[in-house]
Amino acid sequence: MGLDNLLEKLGRNSPDAINEAVRVISKIAENILKDPKNMKIRTLQKSNAAISNKILALEGGADCLTMLGFQETATSFTMPSSTSIESITEFKEILVSWKNSIFTNDNVISQEDKKAKNEIAPHEESTKDVIKPVVLPPLELMYSNPFLRRMEVHANDVLQYEDEKLRARCRKLIPVTLLEFNSQERLRAVQKLAKKDQSLDVDVSVQDMLILELLSWFKNDFFTWVDCMECEHCGGETAFSHMSTDPKHLVYTERVELHRCKSCRQFTPFPRYSDLNILLETRKGRCGEWANTFTLCCRAMNWDARLVVEENDHVWTEVGNIRQNSVNHHGITQCRNSKGRISDSNSSRKDSLGYMFMNFST
């Protein structure tokens, strides 16, 4: 079983069960690391209450022990002496990092909080108790020309990516250890393929693979692409109707779309947030929200990144990769069809481009 499948399987259990299982497995690993030659602590009896109730009773629990290095018998799990210390340490760190990434304070909600949360209107839910917006330096516009003014505004907006508290909050949400592990596996696979086929020109680094892993996690597990909202009244399909002018909707944003249900004809608001603290909560939107949040994730990883705003209503992220005394920019494109596609920033495009504002954050 692959690591991703294992963690997905383990994640189906209750939060309390997962926390306890990870705690027990981590303790087992720590005991082995402290005394690696002691074969007694390398044997776990299935009849042991803690092993049976806190690990084996969980979906994916036995698989965790196998991934750690144990081999299953009829009555026990035994770890061979040949199991490397490095593999034990690596899996323990991945498991703990994964647990911490999915059970932040925002995810552990009491029953009382859940009841109160259900009473909040959907468009207000994501903004409740959100960290205060990043305060940017006052912007004094120097130009009267509309085009130059837009440049000034865009250049000022990217300063939010350098807010240390915001970047730290974002990094806590990223399963860095897991992504680093997967990027190493991906790089080994590419190198293995290159050895078999000498004609392949493979010039990639671990960071290249890590960018791919971050993008995969972002679009598959973290962020949700929204074309039209699901009806908050009946769950039916909606279509964009008009922009709201209702002050009740215009909270933390000046742009709120109203989507009308094709079945019950009721309206569902879709706030178009630009504040990154809120986007880390809602985790949904189109290319604007997507690129804005993904650029923050790249800066949280301490990568050079820039937000590119194109005047024909498109926006994307470019990530700098310094290698061999040159800088390669990978364009991370978000659109209706690709929803996350990597390309070189200097590659040709068939569609026409308007003016582009490249707003650096390094």
Side-chain angles (χ1 to χ4, degrees), residues 197-353:
D197 188 350
Q198 298 295 329
S199 64
L200 292 176
D201 182 16
V202 179
D203 181 20
V204 293
S205 67
V206 173
Q207 185 182 338
D208 292 322
M209 300 296 102
L210 193 52
I211 291 173
L212 290 173
E213 288 298 329
L214 180 68
L215 177 61
S216 177
W217 165 80
F218 185 86
K219 74 172 187 174
N220 294 319
D221 301 322
F222 185 74
F223 211 84
T224 301
W225 182 276
V226 175
D227 283 320
C228 290
M229 296 288 287
E230 179 182 285
C231 178
E232 66 183 26
H233 303 280
C234 71
E237 184 180 350
T238 68
F240 172 78
S241 175
H242 61 279
M243 301 300 293
S244 176
T245 57
D246 188 342
K248 293 181 180 179
H249 292 156
L250 303 179
V251 180
Y252 300 106
T253 180
E254 296 178 353
R255 297 175 60 237
V256 176
E257 299 176 2
L258 288 181
H259 294 192
R260 191 165 193 172
C261 181
K262 297 179 180 179
S263 299
C264 69
R265 310 304 293 171
Q266 296 293 316
F267 289 104
T268 296
F270 176 30
R272 303 301 305 276
Y273 296 118
S274 59
D275 182 84
L276 284 164
N277 272 308
I278 297 177
L279 287 174
L280 289 179
E281 294 286 326
T282 61
R283 305 177 189 180
K284 62 184 177 183
R286 298 196 195 103
C287 63
E289 294 91 343
W290 181 301
N292 197 14
T293 310
F294 188 75
T295 304
L296 172 63
C297 289
C298 292
R299 291 300 296 134
M301 297 289 287
N302 292 319
W303 297 338
D304 290 346
R306 64 189 181 191
L307 184 72
V308 184
V309 180
E310 194 265 326
E311 285 284 86
N312 285 338
D313 193 28
H314 191 36
V315 58
W316 64 88
T317 304
E318 289 189 354
V319 184
N321 184 11
I322 300 177
R323 190 167 72 246
Q324 298 178 350
N325 297 322
S326 64
V327 179
N328 299 317
H329 282 95
H330 300 293
I332 315 298
T333 302
Q334 301 80 27
C335 62
R336 182 187 302 269
N337 295 324
S338 67
K339 299 181 185 176
R341 177 183 66 213
I342 288 188
S343 61
D344 290 333
S345 60
N346 60 351
S347 61
S348 61
R349 290 179 50 144
K350 294 182 179 180
D351 53 327
S352 60
L353 290 174

Side-chain angles (χ1 to χ4, degrees), residues 74-214:
T75 60
S76 65
F77 283 84
T78 303
M79 181 181 290
S81 58
S82 59
T83 305
S84 69
I85 297 299
E86 291 76 12
S87 65
I88 298 173
T89 303
E90 186 174 48
F91 180 70
K92 171 184 170 293
E93 291 178 350
I94 289 174
L95 195 62
V96 172
S97 176
W98 169 79
K99 188 264 294 184
N100 291 339
S101 71
I102 64 171
F103 294 120
T104 60
N105 290 333
D106 292 335
N107 292 328
V108 181
I109 305 174
S110 66
Q111 292 300 321
E112 291 77 10
D113 290 337
K114 288 180 179 178
K115 182 178 179 181
K117 191 174 182 181
N118 290 334
E119 296 173 354
I120 301 172
H123 64 278
E124 297 175 339
E125 176 181 326
S126 61
T127 60
K128 183 177 182 292
D129 297 330
V130 172
I131 299 174
K132 293 181 179 180
V134 177
V135 179
L136 297 176
L139 176 60
E140 296 182 4
L141 296 173
M142 299 174 57
Y143 301 100
S144 58
N145 182 286
F147 179 79
L148 296 178
R149 284 198 167 204
R150 289 198 298 276
M151 290 182 64
E152 290 183 286
V153 172
H154 289 312
N156 188 70
D157 286 344
V158 297
L159 296 178
Q160 62 184 324
Y161 301 132
E162 303 312 300
D163 185 90
E164 292 298 332
K165 291 183 178 179
L166 180 63
R167 286 169 62 172
R169 181 181 178 220
C170 179
R171 188 173 176 85
K172 287 181 180 179
L173 298 173
I174 302 173
V176 178
T177 304
L178 176 60
L179 298 185
E180 289 176 342
F181 177 84
N182 288 343
S183 65
Q184 291 281 0
E185 292 293 303
R186 189 190 286 255
L187 181 60
R188 292 191 190 101
V190 171
Q191 292 172 338
K192 187 176 181 180
L193 184 63
K195 286 183 179 180
K196 291 182 179 180
D197 188 350
Q198 298 295 329
S199 64
L200 292 176
D201 182 16
V202 179
D203 181 20
V204 293
S205 67
V206 173
Q207 185 182 338
D208 292 322
M209 300 296 102
L210 193 52
I211 291 173
L212 290 173
E213 288 298 329
L214 180 68

